[in-house]
Amino acid sequence: MTEATRVTVSYPEDLSTWGRFQVEKPSFRAYLRKTLGDVREGEVREEFVGVGCCGNTLDVPLRIERVEGGRTVDMDTEVEYEVREACGVQGSWRVQSAGGPARG
């Protein structure tokens, strides 16, 4: 397979501020480069992004929006994010942030 030069991944609009911080960290992008492997546009993957102070985990449905170049994500692939429609993801105070999903 040919390596992808760029992959655009979306997360839901209702992901909390803390959840967005976790997903957009350089270390999480590096994690995606190591674990995504072969990808297809439209594919959705539930990814664990962290454990909040109350011990609850946050799994986020990430969707592959666009793939440029080949299909295989590797350490040289650029990972970009965009926000898509809300999907009822639970990311409130139970996993770190203030009560209720934060927007923006």
Side-chain angles (χ1 to χ4, degrees), residues 45-85:
R45 296 188 185 193
E46 290 278 333
E47 293 290 343
F48 168 77
V49 298
V51 177
C53 64
C54 300
N56 290 3
T57 62
L58 178 60
D59 296 314
V60 177
L62 299 178
R63 183 168 61 207
I64 307 300
E65 298 294 341
R66 285 178 298 288
V67 181
E68 296 177 29
R71 283 194 22 206
T72 304
V73 175
D74 67 7
M75 293 308 290
D76 294 323
T77 303
E78 183 178 344
V79 177
E80 293 185 344
Y81 289 105
E82 62 183 43
V83 179
R84 67 174 189 277
E85 70 282 349

Side-chain angles (χ1 to χ4, degrees), residues 31-56:
Y31 165 79
L32 290 178
R33 287 185 192 104
K34 290 180 185 177
T35 61
L36 284 177
D38 291 341
V39 293
R40 291 190 177 104
E41 292 181 2
E43 175 182 359
V44 177
R45 296 188 185 193
E46 290 278 333
E47 293 290 343
F48 168 77
V49 298
V51 177
C53 64
C54 300
N56 290 3

